[in-house]
Amino acid sequence: MASRAESAERTKQRIRAAAASQLRARLRSDIRLDDIAADAGVTVQTVLRVHGSKAELFRVAFEDLVAEMRDGFTHVEPGEIGAAVRAWFDHYEEFGGVVLISLADEHLPEVAPIVATGRRRHRQWVETVLAPQLRQVATADRGRVLDALVCATDVYFWKLLRRDMGRSRDEAEDTMEHTIRALLGAG
């Protein structure tokens, strides 16, 4: 009985990993259960039996993906602007393409909650990692400066520098760090 339960748990984990892999590549509604089942080495019926629905599978797989994304930011101490910029770029270099696709698809009901979660987490992380510097900004200006910092560290900032302007990663990181420091100094 124990080996059967272990086998079922391994199957469940393979399915979640396959779904997370598909989400990492596309984060879109066009991911088919057939693709996930094939990646996990099971049938679509097994996927549905284990997770109940495509929506539920995507919910748990997205949680796994968010946890993976969050792990990239855990090593940054509040106030370490350079380390924060490197973490943002690590994240955008790996996930930026899929995030941009998701933003383009945010009108879709299955993508909208993912985008909303990403926006909320990004703002929280900006506020957390730059907390020491934000405390130095006048209270009346703090919300406006935080808004500007969220924009200056957004995936579109990365996209403009890396993809549209063709800047090297080092140049783009320097530009983001310079922008952050300028905004904090201007606050």
Side-chain angles (χ1 to χ4, degrees):
M1 198 61 106
S3 66
R4 189 175 201 182
E6 289 171 8
S7 176
E9 183 59 29
R10 282 193 303 274
T11 297
K12 184 177 184 177
Q13 293 305 318
R14 278 197 328 271
I15 293 168
R16 281 176 75 162
S21 176
Q22 291 284 330
L23 285 171
R24 189 178 295 106
R26 317 188 244 196
L27 260 186
R28 296 178 58 170
S29 61
D30 63 349
I31 298 171
R32 298 172 335 128
L33 287 178
D34 290 334
D35 298 331
I36 293 167
D39 287 354
V42 299
T43 65
V44 170
Q45 292 80 4
T46 300
V47 171
L48 292 172
R49 181 178 45 77
V50 171
H51 289 285
S53 68
K54 182 179 179 180
E56 176 59 17
L57 172 58
F58 281 8
R59 186 191 66 73
V60 296
F62 181 66
E63 286 176 5
D64 293 347
L65 194 56
V66 167
E68 180 185 327
M69 290 175 181
R70 188 175 35 242
D71 288 346
F73 295 104
T74 58
H75 65 279
V76 178
E77 292 295 321
E80 292 183 1
I81 295 173
V85 168
R86 282 188 298 283
W88 273 305
F89 271 78
D90 287 346
H91 175 76
Y92 294 147
E93 294 291 325
E94 184 172 355
F95 298 106
V98 73
V99 170
L100 292 169
I101 290 168
S102 298
L103 290 168
D105 283 347
E106 73 177 303
H107 63 283
L108 300 171
E110 55 273 14
V111 177
I114 294 170
V115 170
T117 297
R119 281 191 179 113
R120 186 176 61 256
R121 289 183 185 275
H122 178 70
R123 185 178 188 85
Q124 289 169 345
W125 202 73
V126 170
E127 195 166 13
T128 298
V129 79
L130 299 176
Q133 290 87 349
L134 282 166
R135 282 193 291 274
Q136 304 302 313
V137 175
T139 305
D141 294 332
R142 200 169 294 152
R144 184 174 46 82
V145 171
L146 176 59
D147 288 346
L149 290 167
V150 168
C151 293
T153 57
D154 189 74
V155 69
Y156 284 117
F157 195 96
W158 166 83
K159 177 198 174 287
L160 285 167
L161 291 168
R162 294 285 283 139
R163 291 188 173 178
D164 298 354
M165 296 177 192
R167 300 294 186 261
S168 71
R169 179 170 171 168
D170 286 342
E171 291 171 322
E173 284 185 19
D174 286 345
T175 301
M176 182 181 281
E177 185 169 344
H178 176 80
T179 303
I180 291 168
R181 290 184 186 283
L183 288 168
L184 289 166

